[in-house]
Structure formats: structure tokens, C-alpha cells
Amino acid sequence: MAWIKRIGLAFSAILVLGAAAALVKREELGRLMAVQSLFDPDRIVANFSNMDRAFLSTPLPATPGPALPSGPETPLPEGAETWIEDRLVTALVVLHDGRITYESYYRGTDTDDQRMSWSVAKSFLSLLTGIVIEDGMLDLTDPVTQHAPILAGAAYEGVTVRDVLQMQGGVAFDEDYFDPGSDINRMGRQLALGRSLDDFAAALTERARPAGRQMVYNSMDTHVLSLVLRGATGRSIPDLMAEKLTGPLGTGPAYYLVDGDGAAFVLGGLNMTTRDYARMGLMVAQGGMLDGRRIVPEAWISESTEASANTPDGAEGYGYKWWLPADARPGEVYAHGVYGQYVYIDRARNVVIAANGVDPLFQAPGTRAEFIAMFRRIAEAQGG
């Protein structure tokens, strides 16, 4: 009766595999449903502090450095409280001369919340790129396909590392966050379902313009940069980031959202505390130094935060994944993410402002200018 036993074992294996497949499918559907409600007004605050509930994730080791010292508290300028309420700010940390002069949390959040960075993560990746270049493993003139052969024959053929840093890859990519059928939202569903973002990038075949000619915001350029960094170093972004940047910065617990292959969602999936976003800004304000330690090459800080990309006349400036106001003052630069995530740096006044939020009107005309105007007023109130 051995054949009956074999059939029974085979049937049991089928049941186990079926149950496993059902579990995987249920997890995928659960993540997809979580994504569908990600921006619901009654859930968005909690969601932005718990993104690992909706997506796969991987931790960045906590290597806490010296705590940011506190200085005499500087009151916010008149009108700031109304701005915080209107713009749905959830956290605000202000540093002057390296000391916390204002810190507050709103809408039920607190100091330990690991908040979604959205595109502030792009500026972190720019800093990491500068370190990898300094280590001699990469050059700005390298074609991306040299380090990411999966892109050979796709739309990114002929695009350089500098092109993707400046959002000048020229690849057709619809970044409309409010169109469910846009490329950016299709990519988000890929992430939620645990599928490969590398494959998504390689499947892009249409070009909108020649590479290197015009800056047009395209988040896929940043994912391609991560492909390049992984190919050049043979390491994952979380490993590189922890060793080269967040570890030396002394950040606390943090994590990246990842796809089904474990590749980090570098264009917006970094999560850490608001104090740690401020810590990154302080390092940039100090030319790549923090706590007496060189973390990022000073030359890279200067080059990456210049308005070097080809943006329209009168528009905001763009460097290597850093923004500059259209009327940028000396030493002024900032990282920006959707829904009100900012790391604003005023090097002339030695002020850093980290802000998080859930502002659904982040794309409304004048909103970003309103944030910059308030950050300038807060910086001016610090004195010095």
C-alpha cells in the first residue's frame, strides 16, 4: 500500500502549498487594501507613522549618537500656530547653532514616531551617492547601464549617473499622484503587492525627451540610481546606508520600505524620527561634518546643493536631489516630500528645520512657497 501513502503525502504537500499560496495572496491583498486607505483623513496621521503595516520593510540598525543638545527655547513667530493647524503639520523640530530651540508634536504624534519621509529620502540617497563616488566605486559620467545591466535596451539606455541625480533622465513617467492609472501609482501597487521595482524600471521603454536636457521630476530616476549604487558596490541600499550614512549620523531606530525582492523603496520609503531628519540637516549645514566627524565629502555637499539642473527660468532650482527656492538666499537649500515633509537648511543663519505633515493640499499653487516663507520667518526669529 506504499502507493497510497505516496498519494497521501503528495496530497498533503499540495494542501500545504495551497495554504501557503493563499496566505501570500491574503497578505498581498491586505497590503493593497491598506494602500487604498493610506491617505484617508481619519487614518493618514497614524498611517504615516506606521508605514510598515502596509508595506514590506527592513530595519536600519539603530546606532544612536550624542543626543541633540537643547538650547533656550525660541518662540515661533506670529502666525505660525495658525500655519501649523492649516497645513496639518504633525511634527516640527528647529535647530540653531546645533541646538534644539523648538520642538513640538501634533495630532497625537510624539518624539518616537518613525515618520515616512516620502521624497526627503531622495536627498539621503544623494548623500550616499557622494560617499560612494568618494570611495572610487562610481563616476557621475558613468552610463547607468554600466552598473545596472537590467536596464540595457530599455528607456534608460544612454542615461548617466548625473542625469538621474538631476532628474534629467528624459524617460516618460507620469508622476500624477491623484491619477490611479499614473506610473507613480502603478509603481505603488507593485510595491504593495511585493513585486519587483527593478523589473518595473526595466519595463519602461518610452522616452519623453533627450537625456540631460531638461529637469522634469521623475521618481523612477531615483530608483535607477539605487540600481546603480547596488551594482557598483555589490551591496543593498539599507546595508550601505547604515554603514556609510545613518550609522555615522547616529540615528535611532529607522527602516526602509522594500519590494518583494528586498530592494529598498529609495525614492520615498525611508522612515525615522523627526529629530533624526533634523540631524541629517545639521550635518549638511555643517558641510558634511557632525559631532566632529567627517561623514560626507565637503565638496559633494557644495556640488549637490547647487542649482545645477536645467529648470525653467523663474522656477525653483534643483541640484542632486536637493531643492532651492526660486529666490534662494545664500546657503539656503531643502529636501521635500509630499504631504508636507521638509528638511530646510539655512547655512547663513546656521538653522535647520525638520517638519512632517499630512497636508492633502501639498500640490495647491503657492503651498510650497508658503512653507518656505514660514521657515524663513522661523529662521529669522532665531537671531544670530
Side-chain angles (χ1 to χ4, degrees):
M1 305 296 274
W3 64 275
I4 295 177
K5 185 176 181 180
R6 286 196 296 271
I7 291 174
L9 290 172
F11 185 66
S12 297
I14 290 171
L15 288 177
V16 169
L17 290 172
L23 178 61
V24 169
K25 183 62 65 176
R26 186 161 61 249
E27 289 176 351
E28 288 182 355
L29 291 175
R31 290 196 299 270
L32 192 58
M33 290 178 66
V35 170
Q36 297 299 327
S37 62
L38 199 61
F39 309 109
D40 287 358
D42 60 337
R43 300 184 183 185
I44 189 171
V45 173
N47 285 343
F48 279 20
S49 292
N50 299 278
M51 293 296 285
D52 50 349
R53 295 178 184 173
F55 298 94
L56 300 172
S57 64
T58 192
L60 291 177
T63 52
L68 292 170
S70 296
E73 181 170 328
T74 302
L76 296 179
E78 184 178 353
E81 294 297 338
T82 300
W83 166 76
I84 288 168
E85 183 66 27
D86 291 347
R87 303 306 346 162
L88 302 184
V89 174
T90 56
L92 186 65
V93 175
V94 181
L95 307 180
H96 182 222
D97 292 337
R99 296 178 175 273
I100 298 174
T101 58
Y102 186 87
E103 180 176 20
S104 195
Y105 299 87
Y106 312 91
R107 296 175 174 81
T109 67
D110 62 36
T111 56
D112 296 327
D113 282 16
Q114 296 170 55
R115 294 175 175 81
M116 181 72 159
S117 62
W118 295 111
S119 289
V120 168
K122 294 180 171 72
S123 300
F124 276 83
L125 198 69
S126 171
L127 295 169
L128 182 61
T129 302
I131 297 170
V132 171
I133 289 174
E134 177 74 7
D135 288 345
M137 293 181 280
L138 190 65
D139 191 271
L140 288 173
T141 62
D142 290 347
V144 296
T145 50
Q146 176 179 331
H147 305 286
I150 191 176
L151 300 174
Y156 278 96
E157 187 81 53
V159 175
T160 69
V161 174
R162 181 182 277 110
D163 291 335
V164 292
L165 275 165
Q166 295 176 316
M167 295 285 191
Q168 296 184 164
V171 173
F173 189 84
D174 182 358
E175 191 98 2
D176 186 345
Y177 302 106
F178 298 110
D179 177 3
S182 68
D183 293 319
I184 192 71
N185 284 320
R186 289 195 304 112
M187 184 188 64
R189 290 190 289 274
Q190 288 278 111
L191 184 69
L193 292 171
R195 294 172 184 163
S196 171
L197 295 182
D198 292 354
D199 289 346
F200 189 91
L204 296 174
T205 58
E206 301 295 324
R207 298 195 56 79
R209 61 195 60 82
R213 297 280 186 86
Q214 181 182 357
M215 184 271 181
V216 176
Y217 199 81
N218 175 356
S219 287
M220 188 49 65
D221 281 2
T222 307
H223 183 77
V224 168
L225 180 60
S226 80
L227 263 167
V228 169
L229 291 172
R230 285 181 274 144
T233 64
R235 300 182 55 193
S236 73
I237 297 301
D239 283 350
L240 276 172
M241 187 68 72
E243 178 190 336
K244 303 288 189 179
L245 186 58
T246 59
L249 277 173
T251 62
Y255 64 91
Y256 262 116
L257 304 184
V258 297
D259 68 8
D261 293 337
F265 184 52
V266 296
L267 56 95
L270 184 61
N271 295 257
M272 60 176 55
T273 68
T274 308
R275 282 185 183 178
D276 283 338
Y277 291 126
R279 187 184 294 271
M280 180 274 274
L282 179 60
M283 183 270 294
V284 172
Q286 295 178 163
M289 299 282 292
L290 190 67
D291 299 325
R293 179 180 182 182
R294 166 67 58 194
I295 298 175
V296 179
E298 184 175 15
W300 182 260
I301 296 292
S302 297
E303 182 177 353
S304 64
T305 59
E306 291 178 354
S308 57
N310 297 313
T311 56
D313 291 342
E316 288 191 296
Y318 198 73
Y320 298 162
K321 305 198 180 301
W322 286 95
W323 291 96
L324 294 87
D327 60 342
R329 300 171 179 179
E332 190 177 38
V333 68
Y334 69 96
H336 172 249
V338 294
Y339 289 88
Q341 325 313 317
Y342 286 88
V343 176
Y344 170 86
I345 301 164
D346 182 341
R347 286 170 281 195
R349 289 187 169 83
N350 203 14
V351 170
V352 173
I353 303 171
N356 295 106
V358 294
D359 183 8
L361 301 179
F362 66 92
Q363 283 191 312
T367 296
R368 199 183 300 194
E370 179 184 324
F371 270 86
I372 297 304
M374 180 53 69
F375 293 151
R376 286 173 171 174
R377 291 183 59 205
I378 293 172
E380 291 163 358
Q382 304 304 305

